[in-house]
Amino acid sequence: MARTREFDTDAVVAAAMEAFRRTGYEGTSMRDLADATGLGSGSIYAAFGSKEGLYLAALDLYRQSYAVPLTDLLRSGGDAREVIREVFVGAVDEIARDGSRLACLIVAGAMERARDDVRVGQRLRSTTRSLELALFDVIAEGQLRGRIPSERAAGDLAAFLVTSLQGLRVMGAIDPDRAALMRSAEVALSCLD
């Protein structure tokens, strides 16, 4: 008879997510995951199948914790320019607040795992695509209302803004200077003028 799990799966995945954010997939050993989660490696394997299985669960949680709230904010129905600006300011504030410079799992996963792991690549594409589609919807609506110029295609603007957001996360990992990041954000947002 199989034993019943005696741990909070969500808490384990959250702890693993933070471990992966600190040291990346390759830099996080099973021992590190055991220390972070409080589980033995056997329990991790039984629950998630492998280190990669736990990493995929962490990516899913990261999407729910960080990407979904951004798309929800974009779809909140506010003024297009204001809501997009709010997304950028929120991202910069989050980067600047993070004194331990934890990695964005989307950026880290793209650099470390997406090329070699189809499942990671699919998750990252799905996550960035959902953000891009939300931006597209807001921009297209803003263009229809005359709040955003129509000289550039909404899809091109949305793709550029996703690239800019991820670039802010990369630069913030190097130097989380809020003022410098906001200057870059303002340049990116000027594409909406």
Side-chain angles (χ1 to χ4, degrees), residues 17-35:
M17 180 182 75
E18 295 307 311
F20 288 126
R21 289 184 73 196
R22 276 191 302 279
T23 55
Y25 180 83
E26 294 299 332
T28 305
S29 68
M30 283 303 292
R31 172 83 280 11
D32 297 330
L33 291 170
D35 290 345

Side-chain angles (χ1 to χ4, degrees), residues 28-184:
T28 305
S29 68
M30 283 303 292
R31 172 83 280 11
D32 297 330
L33 291 170
D35 290 345
T37 63
L39 296 179
S41 58
S43 294
I44 292 172
Y45 283 113
F48 301 98
S50 64
K51 174 182 165 181
E52 182 181 15
L54 182 52
Y55 181 72
L56 293 172
L59 281 176
D60 292 341
L61 177 61
Y62 190 82
R63 177 184 177 144
Q64 288 301 313
S65 302
Y66 294 96
V68 170
L70 287 181
T71 58
D72 289 347
L73 175 60
L74 287 165
R75 293 200 163 111
S76 66
D79 176 77
R81 293 165 65 99
E82 289 174 19
V83 77
I84 293 170
R85 179 175 177 66
E86 189 176 341
V87 165
F88 271 76
V89 171
V92 167
D93 286 344
E94 178 189 328
I95 294 163
R97 263 194 319 269
D98 180 15
S100 56
R101 297 191 192 177
L102 293 175
C104 166
L105 275 190
I106 305 303
V107 173
M111 300 307 298
E112 189 177 25
R113 304 285 306 150
R115 194 173 43 244
D116 300 324
D117 189 316
V118 173
R119 293 181 298 174
V120 170
Q122 289 170 335
R123 278 173 168 79
L124 299 182
R125 278 189 298 282
S126 172
T127 300
T128 56
R129 184 72 179 139
S130 68
L131 179 56
E132 189 175 324
L133 287 172
L135 279 164
F136 172 84
D137 291 344
V138 171
I139 292 166
E141 179 70 22
Q143 288 176 330
L144 283 174
R145 295 180 182 274
R147 291 285 295 140
I148 297 174
S150 297
E151 288 83 34
R152 292 190 179 102
D156 293 342
L157 291 170
F160 172 73
L161 290 174
V162 168
T163 300
S164 298
L165 272 171
Q166 299 300 16
L168 287 171
R169 294 186 187 287
V170 170
M171 295 312 294
I174 296 167
D175 182 6
D177 177 343
R178 187 186 188 286
L181 293 171
M182 272 311 302
R183 285 192 300 273
S184 294

